[in-house]
Amino acid sequence: MEIQKLYDLNDIEFEDIAIGLVRLAKDIPDHEFFYKVNQINGLAFSRKKDVIIHGAYYDYHFPRFEAYHRFTKTCFTFISNRSSESKQKKLQTELFTEEENIKFLLNNQVDVEYILHTSEQIPDFSVILLPENLVFPIQDYILGSEEELYQIIQYYE
């Protein structure tokens, strides 16, 4: 008996995801940044389970922080762009591997500290107030479905 194909993956349209890129004006630890953000907004950003990416030689951990807006019932997620921890799985024996002990989620945006994502289809990042002298304005960025970060956000959502 032949199984009927319910849908073709090539026919499914994936929608792009709008994210915000957050750059810090000065280098401060995560806990201090989110303490100030929580004070200004009345939100309760807390650390959630890290985003983990498994490489050939390392497992990379990216801190993740979430909060829910009381009135809009929207979930806001900050994910660190730079891995905070990397656990070596096996010894590198090749001279020129593309894998290092530090990884960025957005390789073309290494100056970005956090990636801001929301559960809304049309995100409004202006709802979150950020410390004026600590953060540059949030930059809107569109992720296509072919990008690795798109798949990661979909998995952790």
Side-chain angles (χ1 to χ4, degrees):
M1 177 181 257
E2 191 175 310
I3 299 175
Q4 184 180 7
K5 194 174 186 180
L6 296 177
Y7 55 87
D8 185 9
L9 289 177
N10 295 330
D11 290 343
I12 297 174
E13 290 186 29
F14 294 100
E15 292 185 19
D16 293 342
I17 297 176
I19 59 172
L21 305 181
V22 179
R23 292 175 175 84
L24 298 182
K26 51 182 158 175
D27 193 25
I28 61 168
D30 292 337
H31 66 274
E32 188 176 327
F33 173 72
F34 285 103
Y35 175 76
K36 291 180 186 225
V37 170
N38 287 344
Q39 275 187 322
I40 295 170
N41 291 287
L43 294 172
F45 277 99
S46 61
R47 183 134 181 206
K48 299 297 180 187
K49 188 176 177 185
D50 287 355
V51 171
I52 300 172
I53 296 179
H54 302 286
Y57 298 101
Y58 294 94
D59 286 338
Y60 302 99
H61 294 255
F62 297 88
R64 183 170 59 121
F65 303 86
E66 281 186 0
Y68 288 91
H69 194 270
R70 274 183 282 200
F71 304 116
T72 63
K73 306 290 188 226
T74 303
C75 177
F76 290 100
T77 305
F78 278 91
I79 304 170
S80 179
N81 186 37
R82 184 176 196 249
S83 61
S84 64
E85 181 182 355
S86 58
K87 295 180 181 176
Q88 190 169 11
K89 296 192 292 190
K90 63 181 181 179
L91 193 60
Q92 288 183 339
T93 56
E94 298 176 25
L95 189 56
F96 298 106
T97 61
E98 302 234 350
E99 195 169 330
E100 298 179 19
N101 64 342
I102 295 174
K103 181 171 177 65
F104 291 91
L105 291 174
L106 290 171
N107 290 324
N108 59 344
Q109 303 282 343
V110 295
D111 60 330
V112 170
E113 308 299 326
Y114 301 103
I115 297 161
L116 178 56
H117 172 63
T118 178
S119 58
E120 295 293 317
Q121 292 288 64
I122 301 171
D124 182 15
F125 299 125
S126 64
V127 174
I128 298 178
L129 300 173
L130 298 173
E132 288 181 26
N133 298 330
L134 196 58
V135 179
F136 292 109
I138 296 174
Q139 177 188 349
D140 291 334
Y141 188 85
I142 303 297
L143 280 178
S145 60
E146 68 282 349
E147 295 185 56
E148 179 185 23
L149 183 55
Y150 179 95
Q151 305 299 328
I152 292 168
I153 289 174
Q154 292 296 324
Y155 177 77
Y156 281 92
E157 194 170 69

